[in-house]
Structure formats: C-alpha cells, structure tokens
C-alpha cells in the first residue's frame, strides 16, 4: 500500500491530499487557512468519515503541517495510524524557470533553485518553500519531490520561448516564455491519446486548460511545443481576473494615466482585469452567463472576448504544428461549460474540427464531443493533477 501526500502551499494556506496509489484515489484531503493571521482553521475530510474542523492558532506553516499530520492520523477522523504510512510527499511548486525539465527529489540544491526563482514567482515560490520546510521539519525521514508547473513546457523550441526583446533580456535576466499548468497539460498529453487509442508520437493536438487561470498548450509527438502563458501566468488568453496578452506599450501608458506604481499596475493586471474587468460582473463564468441571459451587454462582451481568444490560439497552434488531430477541453470551464466549448470551436470546420451539439451537452468526465464526420477529435477530459503529482512522486521515491 503506497500513500503519497500532496502539498500545495500558499502564502497563508496549505492544501493537502492523501493519495492512495493502488486505488488511484484521494483518501483524505483538507485545507489549513489563515496561517499566520488570526482565526487559523483546518478543515479535514476523509473517505467515509465525518468532516473535522480544527480551530487552533497556526503562527506558521510548521504548526499547520503538524495539525495536518494530526488530522490524518486521528483515530476517529484520520485514515492512517502513523505518519510512517506516508511513503513520500509531492509538493506543487510554481516556478523552476529552465532549471528543471521534470519533477525531482528535493535536496538542498533543489531548494536553492526554487529560492533562485522567487524573482519570477514572488507570491508562490516563497509559499511553496514554506510548505517544503514545514514538511521537512515534521517528517524528516520521508522523501519529498518537487513537481513544477513549468517543467512540462521545457521542451518548447527556442523560436517559441523567445520574445522579440533584446537577446540580452534573455541571457542576462532570463526573460523568456516558461509556461504554467504543466502538470495538467502533461496529464492531458498522455490521457487523450489513450482515450482515442492512438500513439501520442503520431498526434498533434491542443490542450485548453480553462479555469480561473487559463492556458493553452500545443502538443506534438507527446511534447509541449508552445504554450500561451509566459514568463508569468499573466499572459495568454484573458482569464477570470488576469488580462492575458496585451500590447506592452499599454503598461507604461496606463501607469501614467492611472498614476500607478509598478506593484499597483501588476495588481491591476492580475486581479482587476480579464472577465471581471471586462464584464464588471464577476470572474466566474456561471455568473457571466446568468448576466448575459439578462441582457447584460458587458457580460456578453467578456464571454465573446474569451472564446475568440481561445479559438485564435487553437488556430495559431494548428499552424505552428502544421496540423491538428485533436482539441482537448479541461479545467473548471473546459469541463463544465458547453456554451464556451461551442463558441471556442465554432467556425473551425475549415480545419476539420466539427462539434456535435448533442454530445457537447453531455456531463461525463471524459467524453468525445466532436461529430462523427469531424477529422479532428474534440474531447472534454477532466484534468487530474493529483494523479499526475502522486504518480511522479511514487515513481521517483517508491520504485
Ligand atoms: P482553478 O484555475 O482555480 O483551478 P477551476 O479549474 O476550478 O479553477 O475553474 C474554476 C472556474 O470554472 C470558475 O471560476 C467558473 O468560472 C468555472 N466553472 C466551474 N463550474 C462551472 C459550470 N458548471 N459552468 C460554467 N463554468 C463553471
């Protein structure tokens, strides 16, 4: 029996899942919130058990991790007797720049590398490190793996990852496209070929991870050859609250007009733009559709802009790869929003991609939604980042 603990540490939160390899199931999960501030709370739920809420001070991730282990081993609410039953820990880490092309066992060098990438992931990487340190302190004998959001995209050729800036911006400052959501795109890159019964080596397809953050990925022969996010997760299609691709000249222009500092401008582009900024209603697509049905013009505009941009990326990646065999929708929106999927693929018949309107209304976790006469297979596939992280951690530590 192998159990892998998956940790996703934020600046004041710590999400965890205990994944059982044999059954490919999450047997317990939870969230520690308000770490370091008043009102710290841990919510824990386990398979076939009642929910547990612990309200105890958690001055740092260290105490949070202690409580996580306490909850997991609790005789009444837990699922294991001893923390030794956790065979390895897999940590989600945002940014590894070009230092790692795959998941790695955590040692001092890896920690130093993650620290070195704080400049590109100033919010996430320090929090990820706190999660790693908290685990190290509480379970010093358990092997740990870092699973990077950027790793899967390291196969991009330089023509895809370089920007049209000076070459020194790249060599001196490391400015290039890195890409994110790598764990999700990687999972989809191997799941989709299996679903259609083809070898991934022979396939060119686009994965659309559409959620609060959205990213697109061009996958050729099983490898990422391009992706829509960039140096940071702000680039690409417009998202819930992030602006996505814009003319770079807008940045200094708006900073002057709106009298914003660099940090305020960054906050504006990350938190007040995208669907929320365009619609003035919400960043959530369910709210946007409800408003659009009530004739809210700006909600309609936001939905149009989003779907148009997703479609544009599909077309661009088909051209970049010189062919297209599949389109895969995933993430909270991609998996649930049939209307978005319809708008994103409308008019792509010239590429050989034709949606089946009835299949598209289905609710299955994995389903083909293209028409029988569509040359391109269009699918809806629930992503499973936990599976991917647990599997990679297991491979590195337990085999
Ligand atoms: P994250 O990027 O934070 O992981 P998710 O992938 O869970 O986010 O996606 C969350 C988003 O998915 C929500 O903000 C909402 O816009 C959208 N969403 C979730 N369920 C539905 C639904 N049934 N219909 C339309 N959109 C949905």
């Amino acid at each position: 029996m192998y159990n892998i603990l998956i940790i996703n540490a934020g600046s004041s939160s710590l999400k965890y899942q205990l994944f059982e390899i044999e059954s490919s199931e999450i047997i317990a999960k939870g969230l520690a919130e308000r770490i370091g501030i008043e009102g710290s709370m841990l919510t824990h739920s386990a398979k076939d058990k009642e929910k547990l809420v612990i309200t105890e001070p958690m001055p740092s991730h260290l105490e949070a991790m202690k409580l996580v282990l306490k909850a997991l081993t609790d005789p009444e609410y837990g699922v294991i007797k001893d923390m030794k039953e956790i065979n390895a820990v897999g940590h989600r880490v945002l940014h590894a720049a070009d230092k790692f092309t795959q998941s790695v066992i955590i040692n001092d060098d890896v920690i130093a590398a993650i620290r070195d990438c704080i400049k590109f992931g100033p919010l996430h990487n320090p929090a990820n490190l706190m999660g790693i340190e908290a685990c190290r302190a509480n379970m010093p004998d358990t092997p740990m793996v870092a699973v990077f959001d950027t790793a899967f995209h390291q196969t991009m050729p330089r023509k895809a990852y370089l920007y049209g800036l000076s070459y020194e911006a790249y060599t001196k400052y490391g400015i290039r496209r890195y890409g994110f959501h790598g764990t999700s795109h990687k999972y989809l890159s191997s799941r989709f070929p299996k679903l259609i019964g083809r070898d991934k080596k022979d396939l060119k397809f686009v994965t659309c991870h559409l959620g609060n953050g959205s990213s697109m990925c061009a996958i050729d022969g099983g490898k990422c050859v391009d992706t829509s996010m960039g140096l940071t997760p702000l680039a690409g299609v417009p998202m819930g609250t992030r602006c996505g691709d814009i003319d770079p000249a807008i940045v200094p222009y708006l900073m002057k007009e709106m009298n914003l500092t660099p940090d305020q401008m960054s906050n504006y582009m990350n938190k007040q733009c995208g669907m929320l900024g365009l619609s003035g209603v919400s960043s959530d697509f369910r709210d946007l559709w409800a408003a659009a049905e009530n004739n809210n013009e700006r909600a309609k505009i936001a939905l149009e802009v989003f779907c148009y941009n997703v479609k544009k990326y599909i077309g661009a990646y088909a051209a970049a790869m010189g062919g297209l065999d599949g389109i895969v929708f995933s993430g909270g929106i991609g998996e649930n929003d049939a209307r978005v999927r319809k708008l994103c693929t409308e008019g792509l018949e010239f590429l050989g991609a034709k949606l089946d309107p009835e299949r598209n209304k289905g609710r299955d976790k994995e389903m083909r939604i293209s028409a029988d006469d569509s040359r391109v297979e269009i699918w809806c596939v629930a992503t499973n980042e936990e599976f991917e992280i647990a599997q990679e951690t297991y491979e590195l530590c337990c085999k």
Side-chain angles (χ1 to χ4, degrees), residues 181 209-213 283-286 331-333 336-337 363:
H181 287 147
H209 178 106
L210 312 178
N212 281 322
S283 61
D284 193 300
F285 277 62
R286 289 161 288 200
I333 300 159
N336 296 302
D337 198 327
R363 303 290 314 167

Side-chain angles (χ1 to χ4, degrees), residues 88-113:
V89 184
H91 289 272
R92 291 190 73 146
V93 180
L94 180 80
H95 220 306
D98 54 5
K99 294 177 196 294
F100 298 106
T101 56
Q102 56 194 16
S103 301
V104 286
I105 294 186
I106 296 175
N107 57 27
D108 290 341
D109 291 344
V110 172
I111 289 180

Side-chain angles (χ1 to χ4, degrees), residues 56 105-106 145 155 169-170 178 185 190 220 280 282 294 368 378:
E56 251 182 56
I105 294 186
I106 296 175
V145 167
T155 48
Y170 167 57
Y178 291 110
H185 291 296
S190 58
D220 192 349
S282 170
N294 278 327
R368 182 162 73 110
I378 313 174

